[in-house]
Every structure is written in structure tokens, then in C-alpha cells.
Amino acid sequence: MEALEDGEEDEREALKRHLRAERQKRKKRLLEQSSLQKSRDADDVKDVTSIQQYSADEGPSEKADDSVVLSKSRTGSQKVLCAPGLTSITQHTHHLDDFVKRRLEEKLKAARSKGESLQDKEASLEFPSRLHSLKDRDTVTRFDREADADRAGRRDSPSPLSTRVRFREAARQVGKGLPTAEEAFNFFTLNFDPDPPDVIETSSRRRQKQRKTTDEDEEHEDVDEDIQEENETQSEEAPLVQTQEDLFVIDQSPQDFLEIKKAEYVGYQKLLQRQSELLFTPSFRTVPTSIKLPENMKPRYLEDEGLYVGERPPVSLTNENILENRILKMEEGKKWFGDDGRIIALPNPIKESSTRPPLFHMEEALDPALQTVYRKAVKSKYANLYIAGGADPEGDYQLDVDVSGLIFSHHPLFSREHVLGARLAQLYDQYLTRQRNNLTGHLTDKLNGLRNALRNMLESHSGLNPTQALQQRISEYNLEVRNTRHLRDSEQEKDRTLLKNIVKVWKAIKALREFQKFTNTPYKLYLRRENVDRVSDEQDYEDEILAEVVELEAETEEEYQNKLAEYKKRLEEWKLCRKKQKAKKKKQKKKKKGQAQDDTEGEDEEQDVSESEGPTDEPPPKPEPPERPDLGSIEQWVREKTLRIRRKPGEAILIPELSASANITASELCPRAETARREDVARRSLFTKILYNDKEVSRTDSRSLNTDFRVHFGQIFNLKIVNCPQSISLQVFEEIGSSCSLLAQVFLPVPEPSVVTGSVPLEEFEFSSNQRVMFDHEGVGSDVPLSFEADGSNKQSLLTSGKVSCCVSWGIGDDDVPLAPPISQQPGGVHSGMGCLDAVSYIGASGLYDMKKIGEWARQSRLDPNDPKNASIMQLLKVASSGEVTAPEYFRLEHLQEEFNFVTDEELEKSGRFRLLKLRNQEVAEFRNYKFIPALEREVTDTVFQEYEKRLKEGEVIDTKEHLDSHRALVAKYLQKIRESVINRFLLAKHHYLLSDLVIEEEIPTIGILGINLFKLAEPKRPLKPQRKERKKVTAQNLSDGDIKLLVNIIRAYDIPVRRLQSNKPGQSSHSALQGSIGLLDQIQVRPFVEVSFQRTVLQTATADGPNPCWNEELQLPFSAPNGDYSTASLQSVKDEVFINIFDEVVHETVMNDKNRGKSIQTHIEKRWLGSVKIPFSTIYSQSKIDGTFKVNTPAVLLGYSKEKSHFTNSGFDILRSLSEGTFITLFITVDPQLVPGESVREKIKEMKFDTQEDERLLQASERFERDAAQRYPERPCITTVIDLSGKTVFITRYIRPLSPPKELLDEFPNNPLEATPLVARFVSLIPSLPDQVSFSATCDLWSTCDQFLTLLAGDEEEHAVLLCNYFLSMGKKAWLIIGTAIPEGPTAYVLTLEQNLYLIWNPSSGQFYGQYDTFCPLQAVGCLVNPDNVWFNIQQYTSPMRVSFDISKAHLWKPFFSRTFSHPGLSSIQPEELVYRRTDRAAAAELQDRIERILKEKIMEWRPRQPTRWNRYCTTTLKQFLPKLELIRGQDVAEGHRHELQSLLGDYRISGFPLNLAFSEIRPIIEAVYSTGIHSVQASNVEFALAVYVHPYPNNVMSVWIYLASLVLT
Amino acid sequence: MAELHIIGQIIGASGFPEKTLFCKWGIHTGEAWRLLSGLKEGQTQVDSPQIGDIAYWSHPIDLHYATKGLQGWPKIHLEVWHQDSFGRCQLYGYGFLGEDFNEKEGGRETEKQSEILLTAARHLNSAQFTCSCVIQRIMQHVYRAVNIHTSI
């Protein structure tokens, strides 16, 4: 670091030396050729070049820039008030930000105004040399000095400038260097001007030049600038040292450093060759892997090893090769390569999908907060701020610019006479002002006063000794008198010179007029002579001289005395010194002689001292005694001076009077050149443009130039302003013919708000232009040297200049209100030059990059942080103060939110009431129909949420205990998901209201109806023929608990099993009484009654007699909807079922033999379950009433009962033999009041427009087909399209396709496929049934394909029917799907097969089949038939299967969908090619069996809380053995043998029992079924129970569950 | 914790160049407000009055808010649209009902029918219209148990 610095210093020194050499030379030359202007110019040029040589490494930083600006602005103002200077300056500062720029502009203006005043002063003082002084060094120097002072001041700024200090030291070191002999010689002998100002001048001029060069090159360094500056200050502080340095390299010249050579040409090939030596071009060939890897290593591919390697970013192979080649050339190049020999690269960073969250643009879906909002364009607030006083948008501010006129003080078209005339006028103006001020008079009076006072003082104290104070005062007076006299003298001299000049100029004019023989100017000077009294004047004159002489004598005397005293003092000193020296000399001599050994050190010391002192005392000038002043010469001098500066005594006072009364010679009389000039003048006209904020706002009329070069405009411009005024300027244009040129620009100050029109006088603003104009006629031109002397000497160049008289003021409104902006808003405050507001003047331009300084400045000047002008600075400061840009990480709209919260979020969330309200609003099932929510928090109990929370938990974990089977758990989960998606879809549809939903209009009765009604009134009343009245439908929202009742009308039953006599058994006696009563008929009778249970309400009918009882009884069961929700959707999803159980009432009488009381008979009534019918509530709800005869689901074996033989004689087909076997019950069920049935699912679907993959034409045809059907036969269901699980509309025939049933089923009867048919039907019926309406909460009917159905293991009738139909088709049967209505399901699907010319109707959910003419067939109406090829709609008169002909070939009976006009387009099936069945899992079945048994046992014990429940194990095992057999024969006709077997086993027991068979879905229905049999309700004390469970597995996890229940009573 | 019920209706609009109008509305609240029930935005039907100048919607508004702070009181914004005979919709005016929408009657029921001016800038022969829309609402504040936490 140090070495580097040293080097730098060396270099710098060399440069310095060189620079000084240059300067020295130049100085020399200056001295030699000081008179020659030309050479000086040349020198200047040279100087510039020489400096340019190293200006490249000499850096002006921003500071340099600043100083450039300062100095330039000053010179600029000195020279001309023209715009170009300004623009050039601003250009240099283009890299500063706007703010700084503005400040600089303001500063420039301030400088300009200063310059103007200076100019005025100068003009008045030294007019003749003014033009010279434009380039005069003096002025420049002065300003530079100021600038330096500035800089020196700035150096005191707190920021430590270590570099500067260092360099200053360095400079000082250099200064201390010892001069060589040659240098010393030069120093003492060389003749150069030692004047400090000169040195400064040269240096400053050099600097000025330098600045010019630096202007061109802005990229320099601060340090060098500092050096330069240091040098400058050095030169000022110690010019001697510098000049001494300059001597160092006096002999060197720029030629020594430069060498001129011819340009060399190098051929292209040679160039290439040379380049190839220097440059390395990597080849683009593939690098072999071996090079890239370390020695003896094989490439290792991580991918092959199974590790994940990201995808490399794509790079072209060529580039990669080049890169590899280049890297290999480098040291350690191999580290860039991975194990696989490729360059190590990160995985491709480009993501496949956008990480930005997508913005969905479905019109409504977009969050309103994100929607684009149109806003009308408004004016920016900040723009408004510039309107002074922004409150009023009109900005009613008016600036009046009065442009009165223009006077040229010089114009190119001036003739010589004009020039002189103008000068005369100017001088006369000066004279007038001086006259007005009368400084001379004032000073003379003052002088006289002082003298009188002094005289009085001396006189009054003449007798006394003057005291100290008096002496002091006298001396003060003397001093005052002296000063005043000097001032008066100079003023008098000026007056005199002025007068002389006036006269001289006037004489010149006169001479010129004489010479050119015409007059151009109207000027005429009169000198009025004012005679004075000669005697008194002379007396005054003499007195004055005398007084002055006396004073001067006194002064001189005093001075002499002082000098004398000084002399004496110095003489004393000298003498002392002298003595010392002598003594020393003696000592030295003594030393040389004496060789004194001792005290050598002391002597040495002394010697050192003497030596060091020696040179200083060596030339002790012997002070000369001061000369005695020659008092006589004083008077002489005074007289001379007085003569020079004052009017001679007795001479008349000359008072010049300038008038414009002279005649101007007419043009005809003038010479040609003058005529040309005058013509030229006449051709010219002038106008001015008014620029406001650098924009032209208006211009004056064009006025022609007069011969007196005065232009009168007299125009006032009212400027309505919006922006705050920054600059107002006038541009003077000269028009010659059609072309016009800019003469000059005049900047006008922005007036203070108090300056209003009418109160301000016109002001004159000077302008000037440095344009060079030359004419070939009399016009003197501009910037052309001109001489008035005969010999052509004393040349001067005149520049076009003049004065504009104008004024700017704020206008006054109609109501005398000044239209000026308020002062606070006045940005002119900046113009007013308050130093602290001006950042540039405060800290300097370079400080703008020093954050500390800016911060300090901002703090001190109290910047308004809200002022948009300061926004940039504030921003900057914020960044600077915090150290780094730290944007807040959050965005808050309501930032005081936290402070004003009265509860926390958690508390709000915790509130049970709010939660309840929200959940109700969200229509969560549990809370959907909460009518009242407690108003107080404490009334909301946590129990309300328990169920909901439990459900939420269960949503994730499916209870396996509930499902007993993991597969079914999964299915349940899957179903749940489907349900959710479907519900979501339907929620959308739900909000889609039709007109009929909202507008319910009562039909206005027509005349016809009215007539009929009237007619009806007249009808006779027939009470015996009651009319059926329509029940009024009730809408759900009006309902509450207890309003709805389920009406079950049990009419009759058929073929109820009868009791079988238990032969040969004891206990017969108990029956005897009963049997006795009906014994006549020799029939074992039964006393059946019906028990209806619904929602755990149990009601029963009266007991009837016989196997075909008739009850005709109505039972009313209350209905309550889940959670009190009586909405349609909720009612539709009620899962409750109505259980209708038929029991036999058995009365046991036991005789109690009590010895004390005698005999008593105790009667036990026991009910025995015979069979049941289940009707889901959803069916009742959707059907609104159920009326018909149903087959009672009776157990296969009823112990103790037997069927009456049927009376039917069987027809040929022996399968049909058992068709009508069974018990039947006739029921009528309805809901009171009638509920509005849920909206038909299909209707909703129509509205919804599901997605589809079907052909549009097909869909249209289907719609038409269905519409026609609905029109003609509104009762008949007609389905052509259905919706699959994914929510797509599918044509129905696609579901039908032959699919083979499980092989196991077919294998059972390999020889007889007919036998297999019921087995297949049973398999299908064992798949649990789950109505769509329940599962999908009344949304829609979804059809799943067979594989989906088998996977889900749940589906409604349609799925069962489709599967069964497909099986039948694959088994080679003719099968159709029947779309129709059945009891109790309602609209449903059955399967029709054609067997041996007989049509069989299969109920797929029970596995039962019926003949076409079976009265008890549950199918009530046939709507349409479907097979893989077509759909036929029933267009016969009747719908009942018994009356319908199933011959689909007859077109008048069945309307086909695909006909000749619209043929089958070859729709492919959506069913799979083949169904895959899972093997039966016997182990799982066994496990399930155990679990069901255990659960059921627990349940039965639970249901009997009061009695002990005993289990008869023996019976249980026996029963268990029966169950597989039952499954094998599918529960048909085994009663006899079975009973016998049991009887033999359990002889002593009275057994009643039955097996139940269920398709397994989950445990709950099984429990329900067991409960509904009421087996647990046996009251007998000695009762025992037996329970056996058997689960028979079928393929694909289909399970058949057998439960054998029995109660045993020991007799 | 405080609750606020906003119950009312948007009655209708008048003064628009056309009479076939409908209205879109919405309620904006600050961060502290939780909607407990009700819809906070909606759209009325199109009313094309045969008689009279007022298009009546009588659209109910029923919201229930809970709040944890006092800032950001609900504001209702309304947009009046015109539907022409081709079914095209055009915005005719919009307006905002801010602070005064909240009649702070402290638990009382206040009923007030207010008319808000909707600024409608529609250039019809370069003319501008200022139209009005009438809304009526009943405010019910239920201030209960305003628990202000003080850390003692």
C-alpha cells in the first residue's frame, strides 16, 4: 500500500514539476511579450493543450463539477445574461438528480443577480476598460478567491478527510525539499514577477482552463482533484515555495515528452498471427471424458446408481464443449467436473408450471376484492400542489408582465456617432446620478464639521495639559478627518474625470459630425457656465489648501516621530547584536587557539547555536535614520493635487446639459454607406417573447427599430398561471424581413406576493449578446474592434447590449384582491436564497453524495417531509438512516386494529354462539334447522357440538367396528367422497331458481270454471256419495316437531302361518282350552296382530283370529325429522324405515297352586314373530302414499308354525310352483299432512345440464323422445339418458351388456343352467341396497356401472337390475330392463326375461321372480324396456304387467327409440368387457361371523336390563349347524325336517325361533332387524335364548348373513 | 364481542335515463368483522315499471355480523344497472353508503329511509346525470357483553 502511494506520489511530483515548468515558461514569455495580445492568445491555447495532456488522470469529481459551475456561472453573468450558459451548465449536472439540478439553477440565478450588481458598479467605475475587463483576470481571480474561500470553509466540515490531510502533508514534504544550487541560483537571479495576485491569476487561469477540459471529460477521481486543490491553496499560502519548485525543471519542454512518428500499418494476416499469440481460442470439439477426470478414474453415473439427478438446464453442445475446453486450460480446471465427466450443473431451475397462484376468470368467481375497478382519471394531488395555493382548483392567479420598451446601448447598426452618443448618454446618466447623490458636497460638509470640532476642542483645552482621553479623542478626530479628506478627494476626482470625459466624448462627437458631415444622433451637450465670486472662491480655495497643508504637516510630523522612535529602537537592537557577534568571534578565535578539551559538547552546542543563528543575524541592516520630511514640498503636492481634482478658483462651474435637440441629417444628404445603414435600420423590427417556466406564453407585437434605437412596446400581458412560477424571461428577437434571430434573453425575477400591479414602477433590465455582427456599411457591428482614435489605437469591441424596461407583478382581481399565491405556498422562498434551504450552498454539491451531510442538513433546515419536492431527499434519508432498504414485510390496511380490539381472535373463535350461528348458516347437517340459538354465550352448551365434532373426526377415520370389514370401510369412504362432490354440484344447482320457485300466481278463474262452480252449488247434496277431497299440501318450512304423523292403515293379511300342534308333549293342557274353542274345525289357529315400529315408537293393532285376518285399523305414528329439519332435502334423506311386524299372540296360563289361597291362574301373553315388512320412509315421502299388498318377509323356518297349503294348482313350469307362496299384507301408508314431495331428481338434472360425451343429435333425440312420452303418458316413467358417477350424461343402452356372473355360481349347476338362474339372482340381491336418494341426500339418481357397483357393494334398484340383466344376457337369456314403478319402491327398475314363452319379472333387490300374471307382483307399471340395442316406450293403454303385451316387435304397442329414421349409431358400452371377481374370503367371513354373534349377544342382554339373559349353548350349536344348510337351499321348504330335528334334540323345551337372512352391509341394519323381531321381550322367568350366526361368503365379498334366533322355555 | 344485524331492503331506483333497472349490491367490512349469517352481496331482479318512474326491487338484506373491534364498520355499495331489450347490461350508476349507514343508536332499533345519490357518469350527448337510488334499512345493534380486556 505504501509502495503504491509512493509510486503515486512520485508520479504526481513529476507531473507537478512538469506543470510548473510549463507555467514558468509561460510566465517568462508573458514578461517578454506582455504587450502582444496575439501571442498571449496563442499561449493560452498552448496552455490548454499542455494541461489536457494529463487531464485524463486528473479527476474532477462532483466537487470539481460544482466549482466549475460556480466559476462559470460567475463568468457567465459577468459576460452576458444569455441562456446558453445556463443550459450548458445544467447539462453538466445531468447525472445529479433533479433536485440538485433545481437547486443549482436557483443558485445560478442568485449568482447572476449578484453579478448584475457587480457589473453595475464596475461600469460606473471604469467604463473605458470594461470591455477589456470581460476577459480580465482580475474578475476571475476575485471569484476564484471566493470559491477557494468557500472551499476552505467547507474543509472544516466534520467529516474526516484523511486523504486530504495526507496529501497536504505530502505537499508540505515536497515543499520542504532542499533546493539545489542551480535552483537557488535561479531563485535569486531570475527576474519574475513576485506579485502574489499574479501567481494566483496564472494558477487560477490555469485552473479555469483545466475546468474547461474537465467539462469535456467527466470521469475523474476525487483524489486528484484534491491534489490540485491542495496545490492551489499552497500557491496562495506560500507562493515562494511554489515558485521555488518551479525552478526545478526549467529546461524541460513538452517536446521532450512527445515523439512524433509515422502511423504504422499491420496487415490482417499479421494481426491474426499476433493475436493468436496472445489470445486463446478454445476449440469446440468434444473433450474426451478421460481428460476431464482425475487419472485412473472411471466415470461414475449417479443416475445409473439409482440416485436422483435433476434435469440439467439446456445448453447447446457447442457451447458446452467450448466451456469445457476453456476450463481445462485453467488451473484446477478439473474441479469443475463432476464424477460423470460433465460440468457440474444445478438442476434446471425453470419450473414446469407457474408458481403464481392462478387467477380464475369466471365472471362471478373472481373475488370482488380482486376485480378491476374503473376509476375516473383524476388530477394528481402533487400536480395540484404546484398550483400555488392548491385549494382552489381554478388557481386564479394572474401574473402581469408589462413590457414597456427597449433601449439599445449598443446595436450592430450603431454608427460611430451612435456609439459615442450612447456613451455620452451613459456618462450623462452617471453625471446626473452623481449630481443627485452629491457625495462630494456631503463629504466636504463633513470635513468642515470635523475640522471645526477639532479646532474647538483644541481651543477649549489649550491651556490645560491634554488628558489621556482627550488625546485619544483628538487622535481619533485626526484620523477621521484624514479619512474623510481622502474620500472627498477621490469623489472630487471622479466628478472631475466624469465631467472631463463628458466633454471629451462630446468633443469627439462634434469632431465626428464635423468629419462625416452629417448628424446621426439628436444629442446635443450644453455646458452651462455658472459664474462664481472670484474673490471669495479664491479665498475658500486658499483656506482649503492651507488647512490641508497644516493637517498634512501635522501628520507628517507625527509619522516622522514614530519612525524616529522605531529607528532608535532598532538601532539599539542592532547594537546589541553587534556586540554579541563580536563576542562570538572572539570566542571562536579563542577556541581555535586554546584547543580546550573540556566542555566540547557544550561548545559544540554553542557552536550549533551560533551557526544556526548566524545566517539570520548575518546581514543586520544598520537602520538608517528616517529622513526629515520636507514640509515645503507638502504644500507643493497639495496644490498640484487640488489643481488636478478641483475646479480652478474663480473658474465658472460647468454644468453639462444633454438634450436631444440636434437635427438629424436627412438620409438624402448622407453618404451611401450611411444611407445603407439607415435603410438597414428601417428594415429591422423587434419583438419580445415572454417565456414562463421556459414555455412561450405570449409575444409582443413586432415594432420597427427607430433611428434612436429605442423600441416602444407598451404591452401588458396577463398570465393566468397554474404552475408556480419558476422563471419568467423575455427573449428579444430581431426580425429582418421574414427571418428572425434571437438577440438576447432577459430573466425577470419572480415578484414577491406583495408586489401587485399598479404599485410597481417599471424596471430596466440589461441584456447583452455576444453575437458577432459585421457590416459593410456605416454600422459598427457587434464584437468588432473599433477605434475612435485617428491612429486606430485604443481599439475596443462593443457587444450588442441594451435595456428592457418592463415589470412583473401579480394581478389584482375585480374585488381588489391580489391574485397572488399565499406566501407559504410561494416557492419563491427558495429563490430568496435562504442559505439553509439550499442544499447545494450548504453542503456543496459533493456533499450530496454524503448521506451524513445530507441528514445533518435536513435536520438543520427542518425540511418539510410532506413536501413532495423533498420526497426524493426524504426517501434517500430514510434509506440512509436505516442503513439499508428495509421494506416492511407486511401490509396493513387498518394499522390500529390491534389497539382497538376488545376481544382477541381466539376468543371470537371460541364463542359457542357464533360458532353455532355460523354452522347454521353453512347449513351443516346437524345445525341446519336450528330454529333458535341462545342469545347468551353461557346458554350454549358444549354438548351441542359433540355430535358434530365426532362426525368431523370420523370423517377421517372410518370406524371399522361399525363396518366390520375393512373393505366396506373403504367403500364407505369412497361413497362419502362421491357424495360430497355431488352435493357440491347440487348446491350450485339449488340456487338456480326458476320463475315458478319465486312467483306463485293463483290462477284467475275463467268464466267457464266459474259457471261450473255455480252450477255445482245448485247440485243436490248426496251425503252417501262422498267426494274425494284433495288434501292440502304443506310446505316444509311451516312444520315443526309433532306436526307430522305417519298414518299406517293395516287392512288385512293373507296366508299367515298357523301354529302347529306340538304332539305328545306335556304342557298340552295349557293349549286345550284354547284349542277347545276352535277345536271343532280341527284347525290349529293363530292369533296374529301387527306391530308397527317407526323411529322407536311402537304401536300395535288389536289381535285378530285366523290365518287371514282383517284388522282394518289405523295407526298414527309421530314423525320427527332429524335435527328438526323439515326441509325437503332433509326429509328426503331420512333413513328411517317403517317396520311392520306380524306377531302371533300366544297366551299361556299357568295354574298356581297356593295352599293358603287356593288355585289361581296366571296368564302369560307371549308374542311370536311371524314376519315383517320394511318400508323406508323415503319411499313414503316421495310416493306420498303407499297402497297395496306386500309380501311379508317371513323366515324360512318358523319353529312351531306351518303354512297352510296353497290352493293353487301349479302349472307346468315347476320353478313357478312356489311363486305365490308366502304371507301377504295389505297396507295403506301415508303422511299427514301431505308433504310437498321432493322435487323430482330428474327435473333438477334437466336444469343442470351435465357434461356429456354423447352426440348432440342423440341428446336432442333423447330429449324429444322423453318429452313426447311425458306429454302423452305423464305417469309412465321413461328414461333414455342417465348420469354416471362422474356426473356425465350417458345414454341408457350403454349400460346393458352381457357380463358373465361369478364362475362359482355357474359351477354349482353345471348341467342345468336354469337352476343357476335363481342363484345368480340371489347373488345380485345379496349386494346391499342403498337408495340413491338416501346416499346422495336427495340429489340425483346416479347409475354406476357394474364394476363400480361391485366395488362399492352398494346401489339402488337400477344397479341391481342392470347387473342382473347383464348376467342373464350372458347366460343366453332374452332379458330386458324394465323401467317402471313398483311397490314399495316407486320408480324402479326390474328385469324381464323370456323363458319358454313365459315372461318372468325379476325383482333384482330381493332375487324374487314373478310370472307375468302373478297378482302379487310388486311391479305396478311398465314404462319402458331397455336392451343393449334399443329403448322401447310403452304406448299401450295399460301399464300393469298383467295387461301388457311384452311383444316389442309390435310398433303400435312399443315405441322404439332407434327406428328406421334414426338408426342406432353403434353406441359402445360403458361397461367393462369382463367383470373381475375377487375370491371368496372364508377366513374373513368366519371372523365377521364371530363378531356379529358377539355384538348381537351383547345387544340382546342390553335390551333386557331387568331380567337375566341365559344362553342355551346346546341349542345354539344345534342351530349353527342348520344355518349352512339353509343357505344351501336358499331358505326354501326345509321347515319339516328341521323342526323334527330340533324337537328331538330339545325335547323338554318349548321353542319358538326363526332364522333371519340379510345381505351384509353393516352391523346396524342387522341389529335393527333383530330388535324388530322382539325376541328379547319374552318375559317368562325361565326363558333361555339361542343365537347362531352364519356368514356365507360369495365372490367379491358379497356376504349372506344368517341369524338364527330362538327362545326356549322349559316346560 | 359485539354483534350487528343489518336488516333492510333495497327499495328501488329512480331518476335514471331508463327505467329497466336492476341493482348489484355488496357489503364491505373491515378485518375485525365476521359474517355470522346472511349473504353479503347479491343482485336484485330487473324491474321494468309500467307505471311511474321508480323501479321497485324491494330486495331484502339480512346480515348478522360479529366484531372484535370498532374499526371498519360495514359499508354498502350499490350499482345500478340497466338491461336493455337485447339483454345487454350497462352500468348506470354506483354509490357507497359509508359511516352514516351505521346509525349508532346503541341497541335501539332505528328505521330510516335514506336516499343515496349515485354518481352516474353516462355520456349521452355529452350530458351527465346525477341519479338517486333509494334504500331503506333497519338497523339493529345488539351490543352484548362488550368485553374489553384489561390486564390487571
Side-chain angles (χ1 to χ4, degrees), chain A residues 364 368 374 376 892-898 900-905 907-909 911 913-915 917-922 935-937, chain B residues 1-3 5 24 28 30-32 34-38 41 43 64 66-72 94 121 123 128 144 146-149:
Chain A
E364 298 294 0
Y374 171 73
K376 215 174 166 247
R892 235 185 237 166
L893 269 180
E894 293 157 82
H895 55 282
L896 285 175
Q897 181 74 62
E898 291 298 318
F900 284 99
N901 282 352
F902 29 74
V903 286
T904 58
D905 265 331
E907 234 169 304
L908 203 64
E909 293 299 325
S911 162
R913 178 178 142 80
F914 291 164
R915 193 165 169 215
L917 283 164
K918 256 187 198 169
L919 288 171
R920 183 176 70 170
N921 191 47
Q922 283 163 13
L936 295 175
E937 183 68 49
Chain B
M1 278 185 280
E3 289 171 57
H5 288 272
K24 286 183 184 180
H28 295 259
E31 226 181 301
R34 301 282 152 82
L35 182 68
L36 291 180
S37 63
E41 60 190 355
Q43 182 179 324
H64 185 182
T67 182
K68 58 170 178 160
L70 285 175
Q71 284 156 310
Y94 52 88
H123 292 278
Q128 287 203 348
R144 288 178 313 97
V146 179
N147 299 322
I148 299 170
H149 262 284

Side-chain angles (χ1 to χ4, degrees), chain A residues 407-461:
Chain A
I407 304 164
F408 279 101
S409 55
H410 182 77
H411 191 269
L413 284 173
F414 268 22
S415 65
R416 297 168 92 81
E417 196 184 328
H418 276 107
V419 175
L420 292 172
R423 199 178 292 170
L424 183 64
Q426 212 171 350
L427 288 172
Y428 184 66
D429 273 352
Q430 270 183 40
Y431 171 79
L432 286 182
T433 41
R434 285 194 77 83
Q435 225 30 45
R436 204 162 42 238
N437 294 343
N438 198 12
L439 264 176
T440 320
H442 284 306
L443 289 170
T444 315
D445 288 350
K446 191 182 173 188
L447 193 60
N448 288 337
L450 283 170
R451 278 174 184 163
N452 285 337
L454 192 61
R455 204 180 306 126
N456 289 341
M457 214 189 291
L458 287 171
E459 274 170 14
S460 60
H461 299 284

Side-chain angles (χ1 to χ4, degrees), chain B residues 36-91:
Chain B
L36 291 180
S37 63
L39 293 173
K40 61 173 183 176
E41 60 190 355
Q43 182 179 324
T44 69
Q45 80 278 11
V46 183
D47 186 34
S48 182
Q50 307 291 313
I51 310 152
D53 285 334
I54 302 175
Y56 282 106
W57 300 310
S58 299
H59 184 89
I61 294 173
D62 185 350
L63 291 104
H64 185 182
Y65 276 107
T67 182
K68 58 170 178 160
L70 285 175
Q71 284 156 310
W73 277 81
K75 298 180 181 76
I76 186 166
H77 76 87
L78 301 164
E79 290 169 19
V80 175
W81 291 70
H82 163 67
Q83 192 178 53
D84 66 12
S85 52
F86 304 105
R88 297 173 301 185
C89 298
Q90 194 180 356
L91 184 67

Side-chain angles (χ1 to χ4, degrees), chain A residues 417 420 503-518 788:
Chain A
E417 196 184 328
L420 292 172
V503 174
K504 195 175 143 200
V505 171
W506 171 237
K507 272 179 183 158
I509 288 176
K510 277 208 287 196
L512 191 66
R513 281 179 183 163
E514 200 70 30
F515 173 72
Q516 64 192 14
K517 297 191 180 70
F518 59 86
F788 288 94

Side-chain angles (χ1 to χ4, degrees), chain A residues 1020-1031:
Chain A
K1021 285 192 174 151
R1022 296 174 66 184
L1024 291 178
K1025 193 193 171 191
Q1027 292 273 312
R1028 201 173 263 280
K1029 260 195 239 168
E1030 272 293 310
R1031 286 196 302 168

